[in-house]
Amino acid sequence: MIRDLRRRYFQRLATLLISAPLIGFFFGHPWTALMLALAAVLAVQLYQLNRLIGWLGNGKKAEPPDASGLWGMVFDHLYREQKLQRKEVRHLRNVISRVQSSTEALRDGVIMLDRQGALQWWNQSTRELLRLQKQDEGQLLVNLLREPAFLKFYNEQNERESIRLENPAFPGRSIDISMTIYGKGERLLLIRDTTRMKQLEQMRQDFVANASHELKTPLTVLKGYLESILDCSEDLPAPLQRALTTMNSQTKRMDNLVSDLLVLTRLDAEVQQSVRQQVAMQPLLSSILEDARELSIERGHEISLTLSSEMDLQGDPGELRSAISNLVFNAIHYSPDNSRIELSWFDSPEGGFVTVRDNGIGIDPRHIPRLTERFYRVDPGRSSEKGGTGLGLAIVKHILQHHQARLEIASVPGKGSVFTCCFPVERLLPSASHRSNQSA
Ligand code: ADP
């Protein structure tokens, strides 16, 4: 605790400045005495100021000069602040070194970039993963990782998703990179070696693809024979007929399942959609409408199509047909007979939209986030009854991803659902018929 000596100092100063002229008066020179006293006070202040500057310039570690009174207080205060600051700096250095050593110990790579995107710091795992060396410090990361997909990810400042790339330092190995932007635009990149994960994923995909292929032929044979037997089954006893009918419907279900699995494995394998054709939406949707009416022929749904857009889509016609058909057929399966189903196509400055609206059983909101998971069904019994595989919406999601599009689902239980495929503006093309109308 530093003693407050201000009062005593000013008392002494006042005594000096009063007594000096009094003594001077005694010798006949009061003003000279006062001037001498003031000059002495000033000299002391300048002397102490000089010591203070000397101490401050002398490096922070030196002890402050000895002084009493007000100057002693100033030195003590400054010394105490200096000590506190040094302690704080030591503490921060410790924190930084602890963070650095724990980040060093991470199995994932960590890279810190400055605002310009230049490499500032990286941990041991990054050194091993990307073979970064001391001399790379200050280099722009985009000069080291030049893959266009990474540049796009980097420039879009996509913090929510990660990107998978081939490791430029070890061809054949793959890495996942995620990015966080902090401070004034600095970036922190997390890099993970995903080679093993990719291999396991590949093994899983190969297994499902092979198993589905192997199952497809025996199932086709079985289905063929069962259908032929059922065609001439009038002479068979009723229990046998029932058994054959059940076998036939279950075989069909299995066949649907295997077909959907094959579609999914094909979609899985094609990370980027390769076919980019102009898909005329009007004929595509009209033909889906016809198929839907055919499917619902005995159930009397009132199915309509509204075309409010003159645009076409750029993409894979087969995949788009499969995705939209899946949604329309689901609407039929999960809506009561004779209810209304509306299919529509429109565009806005945000993109192109295909919506399928039904007045069916609807979906409880808690199921909606999981609907596009493989084999997720709200009511498995009902889904199997109508021949569902639980893979339809997973296929829709995959196809939309191939088109950089997304699926939005809105539903009210007991009232109905709206499934919307939202396509980005870049996928829209003026339809050929519209263009020719305009030029005519
Ligand atoms: P499934 O083959 O079982 O129809 P999907 O992946 O197509 O599989 O759909 C997943 C689940 O989503 C379905 O089991 C069903 O519960 C629900 N669902 C899909 N479409 C609709 C709809 N239009 N109305 C109500 N529920 C739906």
Side-chain angles (χ1 to χ4, degrees), residues 10-23:
F10 287 116
Q11 273 173 353
R12 282 186 182 172
L13 188 65
T15 315
L16 176 72
L17 294 181
I18 292 167
S19 52
L22 283 178
I23 297 169

Side-chain angles (χ1 to χ4, degrees), residues 294-427:
E294 183 71 27
L295 182 70
S296 150
I297 202 148
E298 282 168 13
R299 300 189 49 203
H301 291 101
E302 198 185 311
I303 310 172
S304 65
L305 168 64
T306 311
L307 293 162
S308 317
S309 170
E310 305 279 5
M311 302 300 248
D312 284 347
L313 272 178
Q314 194 183 43
D316 183 323
E319 288 192 359
L320 289 172
R321 168 182 275 280
S322 159
I324 302 167
S325 302
N326 256 306
L327 297 178
V328 178
F329 297 166
N330 270 351
I332 295 173
H333 290 309
Y334 296 105
S335 299
D337 293 358
N338 308 316
S339 61
R340 274 172 62 85
I341 293 169
E342 296 158 51
L343 172 63
S344 62
W345 166 234
F346 62 95
D347 68 84
S348 79
E350 277 82 52
F353 304 87
V354 174
T355 63
V356 180
R357 181 187 297 273
D358 66 52
N359 294 283
I361 58 170
I363 306 155
D364 194 306
R366 74 196 151 97
H367 295 293
I368 290 180
R370 300 196 57 192
L371 284 187
T372 53
E373 284 175 21
R374 288 165 199 208
F375 297 111
Y376 189 85
R377 282 171 282 194
V378 174
D379 178 351
R382 187 169 191 148
S383 162
S384 315
E385 218 173 81
K386 61 96 183 164
T389 59
L391 293 172
L393 291 182
I395 292 176
V396 174
K397 184 180 145 191
H398 255 78
I399 292 176
L400 293 186
Q401 275 174 352
H402 277 188
H403 293 78
Q404 291 80 45
R406 60 177 203 284
L407 179 67
E408 280 183 3
I409 307 171
S411 187
V412 180
K415 289 240 156 71
S417 316
V418 186
F419 287 75
T420 308
C421 308
C422 313
F423 295 91
V425 171
E426 303 80 61
R427 289 266 168 190

Side-chain angles (χ1 to χ4, degrees), residues 179-330:
M179 180 166 65
T180 307
I181 300 172
Y182 66 98
K184 292 180 180 154
E186 291 95 335
R187 297 166 198 239
L188 185 89
L189 268 72
L190 273 181
I191 301 152
R192 177 172 299 176
D193 187 294
T194 45
T195 313
R196 179 76 188 131
M197 224 152 74
K198 202 175 152 197
Q199 279 168 351
L200 289 173
E201 238 171 68
Q202 192 58 49
M203 274 162 68
R204 177 186 63 81
Q205 276 175 19
D206 291 349
F207 173 76
V208 177
N210 292 337
S212 310
H213 264 296
E214 293 301 321
L215 284 170
K216 191 77 189 159
T217 317
L219 272 174
T220 312
V221 174
L222 210 62
K223 211 169 66 160
Y225 276 123
L226 278 168
E227 272 164 12
S228 321
I229 297 170
L230 275 169
D231 279 345
C232 43
S233 63
E234 298 94 48
D235 305 332
L236 296 173
L240 194 55
Q241 269 189 31
R242 270 201 305 280
L244 284 170
T245 312
T246 313
M247 280 167 74
N248 190 35
S249 75
Q250 291 300 326
T251 317
K252 272 190 188 147
R253 226 188 107 208
M254 248 198 299
D255 191 51
N256 286 344
L257 189 66
V258 168
S259 303
D260 277 1
L261 279 173
L262 281 171
V263 171
L264 263 178
T265 38
R266 185 175 55 75
L267 289 169
D268 261 345
E270 293 167 13
V271 179
Q272 285 295 314
Q273 192 264 136
S274 46
V275 187
R276 262 186 181 246
Q277 284 177 17
Q278 173 149 2
V279 183
M281 290 305 275
Q282 195 256 334
L284 174 74
L285 295 175
S286 302
S287 123
I288 293 174
L289 178 74
E290 263 177 45
D291 292 349
R293 285 184 174 148
E294 183 71 27
L295 182 70
S296 150
I297 202 148
E298 282 168 13
R299 300 189 49 203
H301 291 101
E302 198 185 311
I303 310 172
S304 65
L305 168 64
T306 311
L307 293 162
S308 317
S309 170
E310 305 279 5
M311 302 300 248
D312 284 347
L313 272 178
Q314 194 183 43
D316 183 323
E319 288 192 359
L320 289 172
R321 168 182 275 280
S322 159
I324 302 167
S325 302
N326 256 306
L327 297 178
V328 178
F329 297 166
N330 270 351

Side-chain angles (χ1 to χ4, degrees), residues 43-54:
V44 170
Q45 303 307 319
L46 288 175
Y47 170 70
Q48 297 290 24
L49 199 62
N50 188 37
R51 291 175 78 200
L52 172 66
I53 293 169

Side-chain angles (χ1 to χ4, degrees), residues 128-131 147 165-175 193 195 198-199:
E128 287 161 11
L129 267 174
L130 296 182
R131 286 196 172 139
E147 201 165 309
L165 304 171
E166 185 174 16
N167 189 337
F170 296 96
R173 298 189 71 85
S174 72
I175 45 172
D193 187 294
T195 313
K198 202 175 152 197
Q199 279 168 351

